Amino acid sequence: MSDIINWLNGYVWSPVLVYLLLGIGLMYTVLTRFIQVRCFKEMIVLAFEGESSKAGVNSFQALAMSLGSRIGTGNVAGVATAISLGGPGAVFWMWLASFFGSAISFIEITLTQVYKRKIDGEYRGGTPFYIEKGLKLRWFAIISAIITLIVMGVLWPGVQANTVALSMNEAFGISPTITGIFVVILLGAIIFGGVKRIAKSAEIIVPFMALGYIIVCLIIVISNFSSIPNVISLIFTSAFNLNSTFGGLIGTAIAWGVQRGVYATGAGLGSETFESGAAEVSHPAKQGLVQALSVYIDSFLICTSTAFMILMTGMYDVKPEGMEPITNRLGDVAPSLYTQLAINSIFPKFGADFLAIALLFFCFTTLLSYYYKAETNLAFLRNHLKIKSIWPNHILKVILMATVLYGSVKSAETIWAMGDLGTGAMAWVNLTVVFILSKTALKVLKDYENQKKAGENPVFKPSKLGIKGADFWEEEYRGIEEDIPAEKNKLSM
């Protein structure tokens, strides 16, 4: 099975996709006039704006749900794997992919809000929705929903579960099977509670788990402060083939840096569009900016902290695929354990225990978000197939829990290969669609900025912009201006 998956990955993750992700990210960065830089302060303000409703969640809850998805094994084991396969230089290409990915994230989330819908009393949005309404290609939208449903329900959950199981076994000697059963029971208790419970859980868990991890990372970085210049030099010289030890790895560094960076942030995959479709905002560009911020938090805070810890402590090996190991200091140690060893080298025993618990929270909230994404795509399919029964939702929950248990006991190599296959498949679909619909997203951005310049609280009216298919805004949100108090309809100067 693993041979088939690796063979498919060879086609899905060809160099074309890697450079396409970088190229489209650069294009949107230029077309939006470096929106991820010039609107940074506004991103932070908007993250705490707005309120939830019976149909949707507020911007912060949507951000927390998205971060709950992004901050997971990709930030810990994913970074370590990138270094193991592509050398320290992979970290630079991860940074670059994330910086450009922030602009892609703005575009895809803006499109999500433009074409979102209200299904069974809840706001829903994402790649299939803007394919159907924006491109008018129902069959392609159904294919996209099926692919995402398989990725979120089968291919990705195992990666999270596997990392947790390995870490708990390393730290506490707990059998992967026991860990898997525990996670499945906890997961079932929440996902059977509905979307609101998922959002509320993410809102509470994500900030605390991220803060705790960053604090430990900062302590380690500060305690090794004198080595920061050397680490930065190592990253940049390795990234551009200037390092004597890791010379000749530039192609591998780019490939694995971009691949793991995209997996960690989700930018360009369409995987982070679904939580944003549930957000209650007055203009699509608002949530686009909020989600662009999440890429910064995920990559430049969490991923960078992980990379610095690993490189500072020297707890890593570089073993590119199909090549002899360049370094082999740790022996036969899985890359997913590099971060654990790095923390443990500074905080003996505590490091392994802390990271195992942190990963449990990281990966658990990610699993919650995977269910939400899968459920959203299932809702899209049920709506088109006129299925009123809720049994498909229950079947999805059972499949997800079974996948988590399977991933806990399966080999890490096979599980990561399955995850990579899902990542690449989603990227090809989403990047194609976003590229075609980019004109709409840029038009929405211009409208938002024009209203801001006029001192107004931006409100989206698609008919004025000549945008068709935005049924929610025309039918459900028609009376928004009347609902906004006069004194709030002007921005404070």
Side-chain angles (χ1 to χ4, degrees), residues 126 171 173 244 361 372 416:
S244 57
F361 282 109
Y372 176 76
W416 272 97

Side-chain angles (χ1 to χ4, degrees), residues 4 28 52 85 95 119-120 166 204 206 216 332 358 372 386 405 409 419 434 439 473:
I4 296 174
Y28 287 142
S52 61
L85 296 172
W95 286 338
I119 300 177
D120 297 331
L166 284 176
I204 295 171
V206 171
V216 171
D332 190 22
Y372 176 76
K386 310 295 182 185
L405 188 58
V409 299
V434 168
K439 184 177 179 181
W473 298 95

Side-chain angles (χ1 to χ4, degrees), residues 359-380:
L359 278 171
L360 177 63
F361 282 109
F362 281 156
C363 298
F364 183 71
T365 53
T366 302
L367 289 171
L368 290 180
S369 72
Y370 286 173
Y371 173 73
Y372 176 76
K373 299 173 203 291
E375 186 190 70
T376 298
N377 283 275
L378 183 59
F380 178 87

Side-chain angles (χ1 to χ4, degrees), residues 128-201:
F129 295 85
Y130 53 73
I131 290 176
E132 181 187 33
K133 293 295 182 178
L135 293 184
K136 310 296 184 185
L137 296 175
R138 182 182 178 186
W139 64 269
F140 192 25
I142 291 175
I143 290 175
S144 172
I146 293 173
I147 290 174
T148 307
L149 185 59
I150 293 172
V151 171
M152 297 302 168
V154 179
L155 299 181
W156 279 9
V159 176
Q160 306 296 328
N162 186 265
T163 302
V164 172
L166 284 176
S167 298
M168 296 299 283
N169 182 254
E170 177 74 15
F172 306 110
I174 299 174
S175 165
T177 303
I178 299 299
T179 300
I181 292 172
F182 173 75
V183 173
V184 165
I185 293 173
L186 200 60
L187 181 65
I190 294 182
I191 64 177
F192 276 95
V195 173
K196 287 288 184 177
R197 185 178 292 182
I198 294 173
K200 195 64 180 176
S201 300

